[in-house]
Amino acid sequence: MEITRENALSLFKKHNSDVKHALAVEATMRYFAEKMGGDPELWGFVGIIHDIDWESCINDASKHCNIAPQILREAGVGEDIIHAVQSHGYGACTDVKPENDMEKTLFTIDELTGLIITAGLVRPSRSLSDLEVSSVKKKWKDKTFARGVNREVIIKGAEMMGKALDELIEWTILALQPVEKEIGF
């Protein structure tokens, strides 16, 4: 399969009905690729399809990232991309460890995008345009806020990436601002 945004969206939509999270992760992966010397097309492709099996695993989260390889192989997706998709579930539903910058970034920002989007949605402006790192960090400390976001995964990912949490938050906010309408704001 050719690595294009259109192909990724088409494949994702065959297996899932809600693309908002996929678009958020795509935008963030593209931004990080540009900052870190990666291939934005490849990183964006992976960002879109990373949860390709999510809706088929909704009743058994332990299967997440484990059904994806079959779906992706049938679509002609390469093993490097399959490894990346599986690695974002490292420690939760797979033992596939993130090995390169793209995989480590996906592992980290999959959770971080959720926290930042939730933080933006509760602002009076209901926008990311005025969201600051300090506001996200304040929400981070409140364990009842965005309970579904695994903060330990974000910390572990930041360590894998060798990046400060503040920098990851800032980059993710900046990555999401241009697509806030597409992701539900």
Side-chain angles (χ1 to χ4, degrees), residues 161-175:
M161 294 176 72
K163 301 270 183 206
L165 183 59
D166 285 14
E167 181 178 33
L168 295 176
I169 293 170
E170 178 184 14
W171 286 10
T172 304
I173 292 169
L174 292 170

Side-chain angles (χ1 to χ4, degrees), residues 28-94:
T28 307
M29 290 294 288
R30 285 179 179 277
Y31 186 92
F32 275 70
E34 290 176 13
K35 290 286 199 178
M36 297 170 64
D39 176 352
E41 278 301 309
L42 174 61
W43 289 37
F45 184 93
V46 170
I48 291 172
I49 65 162
H50 79 283
D51 276 344
I52 193 139
D53 65 5
W54 179 248
E55 284 188 14
S56 60
C57 302
I58 204 90
N59 294 321
D60 186 357
S62 68
K63 292 182 180 178
H64 180 45
C65 299
N66 293 296
I67 296 172
Q70 178 182 347
I71 295 169
L72 296 172
R73 283 186 187 108
E74 288 173 2
V77 173
E79 292 299 317
D80 57 334
I81 294 172
I82 293 169
H83 188 277
V85 167
Q86 284 194 287
S87 74
H88 92 275
Y90 178 64
C93 51
T94 75

Side-chain angles (χ1 to χ4, degrees), residues 44 63 101 103:
K63 292 182 180 178
D101 286 344
E103 293 173 355

Side-chain angles (χ1 to χ4, degrees), residues 143-157:
K143 301 302 179 201
T144 62
F145 180 80
R147 286 177 215 229
V149 172
N150 189 331
R151 289 152 172 83
E152 290 176 20
V153 166
I154 298 168
I155 292 168
K156 186 175 185 176

